[in-house]
């Protein structure tokens, strides 16, 4: 199946700092990627849709100035958590469709963020 | 509003038992996926169903998509400890759009 990678796999940072998470499609081009957030023992919640070459679309309740998304190429989307606070600690997962018209998304391995 | 109702939320059974997880919605989906997720890892796709009434089997796992494409079920026969994990159903409204996830079912199989 299609491969999606994320970097870093885990990160610990101090409150007030910014953290960048990368999502890469390794063997396909993705014009659209999705960012999800997952709290322990809960399901995935869609945060935003990342569109290559244009602005991301954020879900209701997600602060676009807090979670900056940049999709500068067809294989890379980045999520930057700005001025991180302990409540931002979570598991962040990205996904992408392997090709136009595909019905199945493939997910990255996730990034565990811990804000102290 | 939870568009995909998944049940049960937690399930603890003994090795060898059978179980069924349900995923229900009032909305029609063009496709429905089932994922399994281990702690600290991303979801891993188990199956995609796209046709109403479709049944797919993956070893001891049987997946069914409702005739109206509003619901789905996952049945595991003779569960094993290795089946332990979080099972997620996710529906797609149309190709290329984000998935809508159920709340997940945490399955624990003890030997």
């Amino acid at each position: 199946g299609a491969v999606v990678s994320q970097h870093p796999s885990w990160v610990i940072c101090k409150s007030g700092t910014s953290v960048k998470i990368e999502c890469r499609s390794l063997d396909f081009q993705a014009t659209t990627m999705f960012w999800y957030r997952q709290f322990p023992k809960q399901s995935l919640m869609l945060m935003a849709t990342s569109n290559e070459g244009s602005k991301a679309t954020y879900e209701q309740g997600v602060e676009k100035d807090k979670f900056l998304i940049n999709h500068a190429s067809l294989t890379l989307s980045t999520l930057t958590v700005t001025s991180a606070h302990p409540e931002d600690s979570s598991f962040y997962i990205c996904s992408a469709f392997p090709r136009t018209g595909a019905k199945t998304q493939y997910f990255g391995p996730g990034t565990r963020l811990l804000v102290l | 509003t939870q568009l995909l109702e998944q049940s049960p939320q937690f399930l603890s059974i003994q090795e060898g038992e059978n179980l069924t997880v349900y995923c229900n919605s009032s909305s029609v989906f063009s496709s429905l996926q089932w994922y399994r997720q281990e702690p600290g890892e991303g979801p891993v796709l188990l199956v995609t169903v796209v046709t109403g009434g479709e049944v797919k089997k993956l070893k001891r796992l049987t997946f069914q998509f409702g005739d109206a494409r509003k619901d789905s079920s996952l049945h595991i026969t003779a569960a094993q400890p290795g089946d332990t994990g979080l099972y997620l159903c996710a529906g797609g409204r149309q190709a290329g759009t984000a998935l809508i996830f159920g709340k997940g079912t945490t399955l624990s199989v003890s030997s």
Side-chain angles (χ1 to χ4, degrees):
Chain A
V3 179
V4 177
S5 72
Q6 283 184 240
H7 178 81
S9 56
W10 60 270
V11 57
I12 302 173
C13 70
K14 293 183 179 180
S15 184
T17 61
S18 294
V19 175
K20 180 185 287 187
I21 302 170
E22 295 183 348
C23 177
R24 294 183 184 272
S25 55
L26 297 184
D27 53 359
F28 64 96
Q29 294 183 331
T31 55
T32 302
M33 290 183 174
F34 305 96
W35 286 96
Y36 295 84
R37 183 174 180 176
Q38 185 179 32
F39 290 106
K41 298 188 183 299
Q42 295 188 22
S43 188
L44 280 71
M45 295 297 295
L46 180 66
M47 298 176 65
T49 301
S50 173
N51 304 297
E52 188 270 335
S54 64
K55 292 182 179 180
T57 305
Y58 290 83
E59 295 300 299
Q60 189 174 9
V62 178
E63 299 175 57
K64 62 180 181 180
D65 295 329
K66 171 78 172 175
F67 299 99
L68 299 179
I69 291 174
N70 185 17
H71 196 152
S73 78
L74 289 171
T75 59
L76 173 64
S77 174
T78 60
L79 168 67
T80 301
V81 183
T82 62
S83 187
H85 291 284
E87 57 265 29
D88 298 324
S89 299
S90 188
F91 195 49
Y92 293 88
I93 308 173
C94 69
S95 70
F97 287 99
R99 61 187 181 281
T100 302
K103 293 185 181 294
T104 299
Q105 281 186 29
Y106 289 90
F107 286 83
T111 296
R112 173 75 61 192
L113 170 63
L114 177 61
V115 184
L116 301 177
Chain B
T1 302
Q2 185 70 27
L3 295 181
L4 262 179
E5 297 290 341
Q6 189 173 341
S7 64
Q9 192 172 353
F10 299 97
L11 194 54
S12 181
I13 61 173
Q14 294 290 317
E15 183 177 4
E17 292 185 35
N18 302 331
L19 67 113
T20 303
V21 179
Y22 299 94
C23 196
N24 298 301
S25 175
S26 58
S27 302
V28 175
F29 291 99
S30 64
S31 67
L32 197 135
Q33 285 85 44
W34 285 91
Y35 294 86
R36 180 181 161 194
Q37 186 180 23
E38 301 279 357
E41 299 179 9
V44 175
L45 179 70
L46 295 174
V47 77
T48 298
V49 286
V50 298
T51 305
E54 183 176 4
V55 177
K56 284 190 174 180
K57 291 192 175 183
L58 183 65
K59 297 184 180 179
R60 293 177 293 101
L61 278 60
T62 301
F63 305 86
Q64 187 167 6
F65 201 14
D67 291 340
R69 290 184 289 133
K70 294 182 179 181
D71 54 85
S72 181
S73 65
L74 157 62
H75 183 78
I76 300 179
T77 303
Q80 299 176 359
D83 295 327
T84 294
L86 176 65
Y87 290 82
L88 298 160
C89 67
R93 290 286 177 78
Q94 54 185 328
T97 60
L99 294 175
I100 298 170
F101 278 85
K103 287 190 174 182
T105 296
T106 299
L107 172 65
S108 174
V109 183
S110 53
S111 57

